[in-house]
Amino acid sequence: MKLAVEGIWIALAAGLAIGIPGVMAGMGVGIAGVAAAAVASEDPKKAYKAFVFQLLPGTQGIYGFVAGFLVIIGAGLAPSSVIPEMAKPGIVGLAVLAATVPVILQGFTSYPQGLVASAGISAFAKRPEVFSVGLMYTVAVELYAILGFLATILMLTFIGVL
């Protein structure tokens, strides 16, 4: 029974780690995509640089996807998993859920990053010379997403799932 409960917590952790950042990344990419499409309609030569801005809010979805699958494989839920048994039945499931909280929450940075990217696209549309500055502002939000992803990886390592 304990192993079944562990599996539920771990599956919840993986599902949330993949789902929430994925949804939020879609929102961020959508926000930036609206601005990018407007710029492309005005000046098609700027479309590819605007696309760079649009891609950045989507990285949080990638981080969540990777973290979720690391949980699935490392915790033994996948058929070809690396660790077939739980190290400490009774606490591993909740520990894994706790370890995925940073990567789950980092997903919420996609929305503001989409807003920053949208503003960067608008600024770039008016003044192409500010492309790098707008990109720098957009990447600044990315730092916190990366920190959340790394925190999850480290915590999964510490509890012995990875």
Side-chain angles (χ1 to χ4, degrees):
M1 182 68 174
K2 279 190 178 182
L3 192 56
V5 173
E6 295 298 329
I8 291 168
W9 286 117
I10 291 168
L12 178 63
L16 290 173
I18 294 168
I20 290 175
V23 168
M24 296 307 294
M27 290 175 66
V29 168
I31 291 166
V34 169
V39 168
S41 72
E42 293 291 322
D43 186 355
K45 290 181 267 182
K46 294 179 181 174
Y48 294 106
K49 284 192 174 182
F51 185 61
V52 172
F53 279 104
Q54 186 192 9
L55 288 176
L56 286 171
T59 57
Q60 287 85 335
I62 295 168
Y63 303 151
F65 182 81
V66 170
F69 274 88
L70 287 174
V71 166
I72 290 167
I73 292 167
L77 296 182
S80 62
S81 67
V82 189
I83 302 172
E85 294 180 27
M86 301 292 179
K88 298 174 186 155
I91 63 164
V92 172
L94 286 173
V96 169
L97 181 59
T100 59
V101 167
V103 82
I104 292 166
L105 294 179
Q106 65 81 24
F108 288 101
T109 65
S110 293
Y111 184 81
Q113 189 174 29
L115 295 174
V116 173
S118 179
I121 291 167
S122 297
F124 162 70
K126 293 176 187 163
R127 299 188 52 189
E129 66 271 14
V130 300
F131 173 79
S132 297
V133 174
L135 195 60
M136 182 176 62
Y137 295 146
T138 306
V139 170
V141 182
E142 187 74 19
L143 170 65
Y144 299 97
I146 292 169
L147 291 175
F149 179 54
L150 290 176
T152 290
I153 299 294
L154 287 172
M155 292 189 334
L156 288 171
T157 302
F158 294 156
I159 62 174
V161 173
L162 296 181

